[in-house]
Amino acid sequence: MVPLHLHPDRLLPADSGTRTVARDLFASVEHLPIVSPHGHTDPAWFAEDRPWTNATELLLAPDHYLYRMLYSQGVSLASLGVADRNGPPATDPREAWRVFASHQKLFRGTPSRIWLDHVLAVVFGIEVALDPDSADLIFDRIGEALATPAFRPRALFERFNIELIATTDGAHERLDHHEAIRQSGWSGRVVTAYRPDAVIDPEHEQFRSALDAFANLTGEDVTSWRGYLAAHRKRRAYFAEMGATSTDHGHPTAATANLSAVDAEALFDRVMRGDVSPADAELFRAQMLTEMAGMSVDDGLVMQIHPGSFRNHNRGLFLSHGRDKGADIPTRTDYVHALKPMLDRFGTSAELSVILFTLDETAYARELAPLAGHYPCLKLGPAWWFHDSPEGMRRFREMTTETAGFYNTVGFNDDTRAFLSIPARHDVSRRIDCGFLARLVAEHRLSMADAQELAVDLTYNLVRQAYRLDQVTPPPAPLAAAAE
Amino acid sequence: MVPLHLHPDRLLPADSGTRTVARDLFASVEHLPIVSPHGHTDPAWFAEDRPWTNATELLLAPDHYLYRMLYSQGVSLASLGVADRNGPPATDPREAWRVFASHQKLFRGTPSRIWLDHVLAVVFGIEVALDPDSADLIFDRIGEALATPAFRPRALFERFNIELIATTDGAHERLDHHEAIRQSGWSGRVVTAYRPDAVIDPEHEQFRSALDAFANLTGEDVTSWRGYLAAHRKRRAYFAEMGATSTDHGHPTAATANLSAVDAEALFDRVMRGDVSPADAELFRAQMLTEMAGMSVDDGLVMQIHPGSFRNHNRGLFLSHGRDKGADIPTRTDYVHALKPMLDRFGTSAELSVILFTLDETAYARELAPLAGHYPCLKLGPAWWFHDSPEGMRRFREMTTETAGFYNTVGFNDDTRAFLSIPARHDVSRRIDCGFLARLVAEHRLSMADAQELAVDLTYNLVRQAYRLDQVTPPPAPLAAAAE
Amino acid sequence: MVPLHLHPDRLLPADSGTRTVARDLFASVEHLPIVSPHGHTDPAWFAEDRPWTNATELLLAPDHYLYRMLYSQGVSLASLGVADRNGPPATDPREAWRVFASHQKLFRGTPSRIWLDHVLAVVFGIEVALDPDSADLIFDRIGEALATPAFRPRALFERFNIELIATTDGAHERLDHHEAIRQSGWSGRVVTAYRPDAVIDPEHEQFRSALDAFANLTGEDVTSWRGYLAAHRKRRAYFAEMGATSTDHGHPTAATANLSAVDAEALFDRVMRGDVSPADAELFRAQMLTEMAGMSVDDGLVMQIHPGSFRNHNRGLFLSHGRDKGADIPTRTDYVHALKPMLDRFGTSAELSVILFTLDETAYARELAPLAGHYPCLKLGPAWWFHDSPEGMRRFREMTTETAGFYNTVGFNDDTRAFLSIPARHDVSRRIDCGFLARLVAEHRLSMADAQELAVDLTYNLVRQAYRLDQVTPPPAPLAAAAE
């Protein structure tokens, strides 16, 4: 079998002088706590603290980063244990793992490989690389570990040194697991974030059922514009009680609108009647971003906008397997014109804070850095999704820093449902940021003292400030020591 | 005169540790056979094996990479021997060569300079750089060489270690030269590729005459939708007999359509009547891409799409000199929406294989890598045309690998009509790929063993698989040795 | 206090071998004269030669690069001394400077920091970095220096070794300061450039008043198409007398049009009547670019096009503070279709020279380099505005050189109203260009001899040729020595 060894200098720049600087910077942030202000872990894990079952069900079958690549090379989703519209297939998990193991070369040069190696080596202490020869051994080792208390969700949360993690929950969803976590007495900080897409997007397949739940949970008449807005306000307040400091909006575009109250209500009425054109659907989503911004001015929830994904692009796969099967493809995304209506209304508000994400890297230098380098209410989220990778993170810093600086960015988001990969993802981000800072130092564009302060800010302080986490949890004692 | 010397480390990364790795990788692929699955060499050269005449007629006058740059600085095309609509000018080839030699500084930092230096140094064994002092000497040396048997097309084909080369021929063109090559007993593998643009694009200046030839060659009534499609099928089958494993489509955009049979036939009828609007022309091209995909599902020809060039942008030059005079300019190109109709119909077919190219690098990370990293039928062609260059190839790998991996790419295309530059172009590609792999190794993102396997795959194996060349020619003995 | 020290290797590549080459190249161009063919300095400075007052009024309050970043982090413009629509605030300049000093970390990694450090260290000889501890000291030192003759505009012009500087003046503006400079007997070469936006853009807030001035200055009936065009010709001729060799056009897009004379006149009449739709306004600007190109064919003025800025994006700030307050945001910009009408009419003219700029870096490799690498009348301006930065300049060279070469570029523009930062900006450009050339040398893609010639061409010769400055001022003796 091939040994698995994580090199201590991995992902740092190859140039020896630059690497030396990067190593020093990384040493100062490597062990800082993980702050995860945006992601998709399941709160049930932390509420119930039940053991996970096996490698396939934990690491492979739910991870569209992995199975999209295998699917692209003709591997069937059924053979990997991925559920279709009829539910999970009868595939033997061990067999699925072997299929995965036999296609490892597809992941060469990808972040998936980096994350998986980290999970195997660091989380499970496995010392051989995954391949057909080691597949069974690794499957067994993971299964054995998962059966032990040390690998239950809460134990890993603590071992990973997670200071805070946010889940993302629908506006129409109960927060029972969050309630349960709070009442459990467990010290882990798990908060929620308000994601109202299903009750805002008339083209969402759950729109009607989500609206029903939204009405039931709030007691509001959500078929009236006034009641619908009141329902949002109620739920936002409840989410804030459950620790939320942010909302999240995943629209096809970044379009915003600034309709008069009369026009907004008329549009809402058309949407409710159900005969909504694509243009009206887009306009309603656009208007609702502005409405959400207005509510953020009032309640202080930080607004995240994640636009630009063409969802469920593969029609055949959507029909057979449903949503979220690795078939979402980025599209060209405009921000300058799209955000103007919202900014015309709330752009000079001192209370508003909007974090912008993109799947279109051409917007970094052209639109996003200039916007964030001017508007007090705008900040840049980190490299997202397909760009949450070493090259993607480098390009993010190279294309945004000169115009927006570092202080209009917000630290790292792991944005993942793959809980075990969270330390790996933060590790990658810290290494790449330190490598970028080291290059600036090596090129005499930044002093070492400034770089050291920045390394800690990019890793720890900015995320806490940008997501207004100070009201949720105070800075820990260890940080003060580490930052000395 | 200034010595001409190709440095053995040319194009490898400057960092010494990284360069050492790159050198090792390159040594293992430098001498692998050349596989050239897509290009524009003239099959007459290999059928007739007649000597070329002189440096200007071979290297300068037909090469729009060279004369576009000279033209951009005010050098007249006539002075370079470039033909206009009245045919070749009366320019003395030696005088044209002197003009070219006196403007060499324009090519500093360009791939044209790299290719030319390689042709001079390696193909002709010339030891001085081209400049006004050496122009006559080099012109004479090339002329003398071309008069010898060792510089005839077939001899150079063998010396270049070309395992297979594909030409590109119109759907309406006879393949007499390909027939002649087959019947000649010569062992060189020269195949064709099916390029039906002239009979598909109603805005092509040869559309009507090409349709006439298309009808004559197939005996079909190409003025009926049924007959037109049957003619395509017949010619595809004949091209496959002549070794074709692929088709090629050079449309202004990547648009596809998925019309009903009735609507497609009505559109075809409008096109045939000749009163075709730009929108109808675009829709017909779009529908025909989908029809071609359907035929590929049946006959197994790999489909190449080369979209996004605004042809003949310079109106004055087009009027005086005609097509293909270095005045084609790339445009912004969408793939996500454009390809959806075709993918809705054939996107989950296991038989279909489509290779996508682009002149719009912004699509690499945003659209093409996500599409190829998901759809089994989609693969990424290498950096094309203006991007077939050291920086262009680097950006291609940096922006596609993390999402699509290496195995959804297809190796290198030289895509050239400049036969003597083919070894130079493959040399550049191999060096840049090895440099990229070396950086991943130096940054501990890839093991050396994986990099070694990848270097051979990127150079030799992927192109054979992606273009389904195994039915044309078996892997040679030398490779097995080299890959050990 | 923290020492301020400009490292001699700043901005050069970190790799030691490459840096050695870069150092050699930079040494040969570091002290070449500054040629500044496009910028926004105030000609009154050189006409009147009055002392500047203090650090805030000279360096901070007029510099939107600086205050946009501070504003983005919630610092009020009033606290920085920035004027609003009622004029400058009553802010104490020293207090404003302290506010600026206390936010220096925002500028880490930005070009603003590089320029400011250079101004402090080189222009003023200050040896401590700006921070709250040093703010008063530095404010005082600058104030004292500015009161001395050595820091008056003309003295600094000479000390900076400026061979020529161009200001930008409106078509409707008198050139009294330029007249005064000429009559003063001072040897400094200060020329103008013809910027007719205010009399061409019907949506410009000064359109009507600028037209009135335009009529008064020319004695033409500018309400007739014929008179309007004649007024342009007259003023262009006068600007040329005042040393202008170029025009400058800052339109929202790069659109050009090629209307018939009748249609152009009808459009002009609609514009003059004042009921102009946005589409008509855009068409008029487009047609006027083509008219300006025609006049350039006649009078030889080089045409600069600076498109793609969405001006005054922040509505609230525009209402309170007016134009040019750091709220201009780049937009996606097309060139291939936009420029075609103008190129159809004048694209093959040997007299026309158009320099293209962009705020949309995606156009570099896709559109601009192919256009400039073909059309004799097109050249590429340097990295502009948000991209006038180390990373931006590197990307410019990496994305344009392989297709357009170096000789279709035009050297550096500082494009600034911050006079004291001009040496800093040229220093950055020279360092980055030398670093880029050094990488090509280190990768054996360029000989050292070629790199040395290129370093001088990029710094000094290309700008003189591209802006046709030879008629304004002959090459100085020192260059001949330096280039040996």
Side-chain angles (χ1 to χ4, degrees), chain C residues 163-178:
Chain C
E163 181 178 305
L164 175 143
I165 200 169
T167 68
T168 305
D169 299 279
H172 61 294
E173 291 177 322
R174 299 173 57 88
L175 300 178
D176 294 346
H177 296 303
H178 287 276

PDB file of all heavy atoms in Angstrom, chain C residues 163-178:
ATOM      1  N   GLU C 163       9.815  64.809 -18.223  1.00  0.00           N
ATOM      2  CA  GLU C 163      10.140  65.335 -19.549  1.00  0.00           C
ATOM      3  C   GLU C 163       8.939  66.045 -20.149  1.00  0.00           C
ATOM      4  O   GLU C 163       9.077  67.058 -20.830  1.00  0.00           O
ATOM      5  CB  GLU C 163      10.570  64.186 -20.441  1.00  0.00           C
ATOM      6  CG  GLU C 163      10.953  64.606 -21.830  1.00  0.00           C
ATOM      7  CD  GLU C 163      11.425  63.411 -22.636  1.00  0.00           C
ATOM      8  OE1 GLU C 163      12.357  62.708 -22.168  1.00  0.00           O
ATOM      9  OE2 GLU C 163      10.849  63.148 -23.695  1.00  0.00           O
ATOM     10  N   LEU C 164       7.786  65.500 -19.894  1.00  0.00           N
ATOM     11  CA  LEU C 164       6.533  66.064 -20.433  1.00  0.00           C
ATOM     12  C   LEU C 164       5.381  65.551 -19.601  1.00  0.00           C
ATOM     13  O   LEU C 164       5.370  64.384 -19.187  1.00  0.00           O
ATOM     14  CB  LEU C 164       6.351  65.635 -21.886  1.00  0.00           C
ATOM     15  CG  LEU C 164       5.029  66.038 -22.554  1.00  0.00           C
ATOM     16  CD1 LEU C 164       5.265  66.404 -24.013  1.00  0.00           C
ATOM     17  CD2 LEU C 164       3.994  64.924 -22.439  1.00  0.00           C
ATOM     18  N   ILE C 165       4.406  66.415 -19.360  1.00  0.00           N
ATOM     19  CA  ILE C 165       3.182  65.971 -18.711  1.00  0.00           C
ATOM     20  C   ILE C 165       1.995  66.528 -19.481  1.00  0.00           C
ATOM     21  O   ILE C 165       2.037  67.672 -19.955  1.00  0.00           O
ATOM     22  CB  ILE C 165       3.139  66.388 -17.224  1.00  0.00           C
ATOM     23  CG1 ILE C 165       2.135  65.532 -16.456  1.00  0.00           C
ATOM     24  CG2 ILE C 165       2.793  67.862 -17.077  1.00  0.00           C
ATOM     25  CD1 ILE C 165       2.237  65.696 -14.942  1.00  0.00           C
ATOM     26  N   ALA C 166       0.969  65.717 -19.626  1.00  0.00           N
ATOM     27  CA  ALA C 166      -0.266  66.178 -20.266  1.00  0.00           C
ATOM     28  C   ALA C 166      -1.349  66.294 -19.211  1.00  0.00           C
ATOM     29  O   ALA C 166      -1.528  65.399 -18.387  1.00  0.00           O
ATOM     30  CB  ALA C 166      -0.707  65.199 -21.352  1.00  0.00           C
ATOM     31  N   THR C 167      -2.062  67.405 -19.244  1.00  0.00           N
ATOM     32  CA  THR C 167      -3.279  67.519 -18.449  1.00  0.00           C
ATOM     33  C   THR C 167      -4.452  67.116 -19.338  1.00  0.00           C
ATOM     34  O   THR C 167      -4.265  66.824 -20.514  1.00  0.00           O
ATOM     35  CB  THR C 167      -3.487  68.964 -17.972  1.00  0.00           C
ATOM     36  OG1 THR C 167      -3.775  69.770 -19.124  1.00  0.00           O
ATOM     37  CG2 THR C 167      -2.244  69.497 -17.272  1.00  0.00           C
ATOM     38  N   THR C 168      -5.635  67.091 -18.772  1.00  0.00           N
ATOM     39  CA  THR C 168      -6.833  66.770 -19.540  1.00  0.00           C
ATOM     40  C   THR C 168      -7.797  67.935 -19.363  1.00  0.00           C
ATOM     41  O   THR C 168      -8.144  68.271 -18.229  1.00  0.00           O
ATOM     42  CB  THR C 168      -7.468  65.479 -19.006  1.00  0.00           C
ATOM     43  OG1 THR C 168      -6.482  64.452 -19.022  1.00  0.00           O
ATOM     44  CG2 THR C 168      -8.637  65.056 -19.868  1.00  0.00           C
ATOM     45  N   ASP C 169      -8.203  68.541 -20.460  1.00  0.00           N
ATOM     46  CA  ASP C 169      -9.062  69.718 -20.352  1.00  0.00           C
ATOM     47  C   ASP C 169     -10.292  69.548 -21.222  1.00  0.00           C
ATOM     48  O   ASP C 169     -10.237  68.938 -22.295  1.00  0.00           O
ATOM     49  CB  ASP C 169      -8.264  70.967 -20.748  1.00  0.00           C
ATOM     50  CG  ASP C 169      -7.074  71.184 -19.821  1.00  0.00           C
ATOM     51  OD1 ASP C 169      -7.279  71.738 -18.725  1.00  0.00           O
ATOM     52  OD2 ASP C 169      -5.948  70.742 -20.167  1.00  0.00           O
ATOM     53  N   GLY C 170     -11.402  70.094 -20.752  1.00  0.00           N
ATOM     54  CA  GLY C 170     -12.658  69.960 -21.462  1.00  0.00           C
ATOM     55  C   GLY C 170     -12.669  70.765 -22.756  1.00  0.00           C
ATOM     56  O   GLY C 170     -12.029  71.819 -22.862  1.00  0.00           O
ATOM     57  N   ALA C 171     -13.434  70.272 -23.722  1.00  0.00           N
ATOM     58  CA  ALA C 171     -13.553  70.966 -25.001  1.00  0.00           C
ATOM     59  C   ALA C 171     -14.125  72.368 -24.818  1.00  0.00           C
ATOM     60  O   ALA C 171     -13.907  73.249 -25.651  1.00  0.00           O
ATOM     61  CB  ALA C 171     -14.455  70.166 -25.937  1.00  0.00           C
ATOM     62  N   HIS C 172     -14.850  72.541 -23.718  1.00  0.00           N
ATOM     63  CA  HIS C 172     -15.530  73.811 -23.469  1.00  0.00           C
ATOM     64  C   HIS C 172     -14.718  74.714 -22.538  1.00  0.00           C
ATOM     65  O   HIS C 172     -15.208  75.747 -22.094  1.00  0.00           O
ATOM     66  CB  HIS C 172     -16.894  73.533 -22.833  1.00  0.00           C
ATOM     67  CG  HIS C 172     -16.779  72.816 -21.514  1.00  0.00           C
ATOM     68  ND1 HIS C 172     -16.301  71.534 -21.393  1.00  0.00           N
ATOM     69  CD2 HIS C 172     -17.071  73.219 -20.256  1.00  0.00           C
ATOM     70  CE1 HIS C 172     -16.305  71.168 -20.126  1.00  0.00           C
ATOM     71  NE2 HIS C 172     -16.763  72.168 -19.415  1.00  0.00           N
ATOM     72  N   GLU C 173     -13.523  74.289 -22.208  1.00  0.00           N
ATOM     73  CA  GLU C 173     -12.738  75.055 -21.234  1.00  0.00           C
ATOM     74  C   GLU C 173     -11.660  75.888 -21.924  1.00  0.00           C
ATOM     75  O   GLU C 173     -11.046  75.447 -22.898  1.00  0.00           O
ATOM     76  CB  GLU C 173     -12.093  74.088 -20.233  1.00  0.00           C
ATOM     77  CG  GLU C 173     -13.120  73.432 -19.312  1.00  0.00           C
ATOM     78  CD  GLU C 173     -12.516  72.424 -18.362  1.00  0.00           C
ATOM     79  OE1 GLU C 173     -11.588  71.693 -18.753  1.00  0.00           O
ATOM     80  OE2 GLU C 173     -12.986  72.360 -17.217  1.00  0.00           O
ATOM     81  N   ARG C 174     -11.430  77.064 -21.383  1.00  0.00           N
ATOM     82  CA  ARG C 174     -10.329  77.899 -21.833  1.00  0.00           C
ATOM     83  C   ARG C 174      -9.029  77.219 -21.405  1.00  0.00           C
ATOM     84  O   ARG C 174      -9.011  76.418 -20.489  1.00  0.00           O
ATOM     85  CB  ARG C 174     -10.420  79.268 -21.168  1.00  0.00           C
ATOM     86  CG  ARG C 174     -11.709  80.007 -21.499  1.00  0.00           C
ATOM     87  CD  ARG C 174     -11.826  81.288 -20.680  1.00  0.00           C
ATOM     88  NE  ARG C 174     -10.670  82.143 -20.908  1.00  0.00           N
ATOM     89  CZ  ARG C 174     -10.593  83.042 -21.903  1.00  0.00           C
ATOM     90  NH1 ARG C 174     -11.608  83.211 -22.722  1.00  0.00           N
ATOM     91  NH2 ARG C 174      -9.500  83.763 -22.069  1.00  0.00           N
ATOM     92  N   LEU C 175      -7.959  77.563 -22.059  1.00  0.00           N
ATOM     93  CA  LEU C 175      -6.674  76.981 -21.691  1.00  0.00           C
ATOM     94  C   LEU C 175      -5.731  78.077 -21.200  1.00  0.00           C
ATOM     95  O   LEU C 175      -4.539  78.101 -21.536  1.00  0.00           O
ATOM     96  CB  LEU C 175      -6.076  76.224 -22.888  1.00  0.00           C
ATOM     97  CG  LEU C 175      -6.935  75.072 -23.430  1.00  0.00           C
ATOM     98  CD1 LEU C 175      -6.262  74.432 -24.648  1.00  0.00           C
ATOM     99  CD2 LEU C 175      -7.159  74.010 -22.355  1.00  0.00           C
ATOM    100  N   ASP C 176      -6.288  78.959 -20.354  1.00  0.00           N
ATOM    101  CA  ASP C 176      -5.494  80.096 -19.916  1.00  0.00           C
ATOM    102  C   ASP C 176      -4.216  79.690 -19.196  1.00  0.00           C
ATOM    103  O   ASP C 176      -3.166  80.291 -19.370  1.00  0.00           O
ATOM    104  CB  ASP C 176      -6.337  80.984 -18.982  1.00  0.00           C
ATOM    105  CG  ASP C 176      -7.492  81.628 -19.731  1.00  0.00           C
ATOM    106  OD1 ASP C 176      -7.474  81.612 -20.989  1.00  0.00           O
ATOM    107  OD2 ASP C 176      -8.410  82.141 -19.066  1.00  0.00           O
ATOM    108  N   HIS C 177      -4.325  78.654 -18.359  1.00  0.00           N
ATOM    109  CA  HIS C 177      -3.123  78.239 -17.629  1.00  0.00           C
ATOM    110  C   HIS C 177      -2.064  77.709 -18.587  1.00  0.00           C
ATOM    111  O   HIS C 177      -0.873  77.948 -18.395  1.00  0.00           O
ATOM    112  CB  HIS C 177      -3.479  77.184 -16.586  1.00  0.00           C
ATOM    113  CG  HIS C 177      -4.395  77.702 -15.533  1.00  0.00           C
ATOM    114  ND1 HIS C 177      -4.083  78.806 -14.759  1.00  0.00           N
ATOM    115  CD2 HIS C 177      -5.626  77.296 -15.135  1.00  0.00           C
ATOM    116  CE1 HIS C 177      -5.081  79.046 -13.910  1.00  0.00           C
ATOM    117  NE2 HIS C 177      -6.025  78.148 -14.130  1.00  0.00           N
ATOM    118  N   HIS C 178      -2.507  76.982 -19.593  1.00  0.00           N
ATOM    119  CA  HIS C 178      -1.541  76.492 -20.583  1.00  0.00           C
ATOM    120  C   HIS C 178      -0.900  77.656 -21.330  1.00  0.00           C
ATOM    121  O   HIS C 178       0.313  77.666 -21.573  1.00  0.00           O
ATOM    122  CB  HIS C 178      -2.212  75.512 -21.544  1.00  0.00           C
ATOM    123  CG  HIS C 178      -2.491  74.187 -20.908  1.00  0.00           C
ATOM    124  ND1 HIS C 178      -1.539  73.203 -20.820  1.00  0.00           N
ATOM    125  CD2 HIS C 178      -3.599  73.693 -20.297  1.00  0.00           C
ATOM    126  CE1 HIS C 178      -2.048  72.153 -20.200  1.00  0.00           C
ATOM    127  NE2 HIS C 178      -3.309  72.419 -19.870  1.00  0.00           N
TER     128      HIS C 178
END
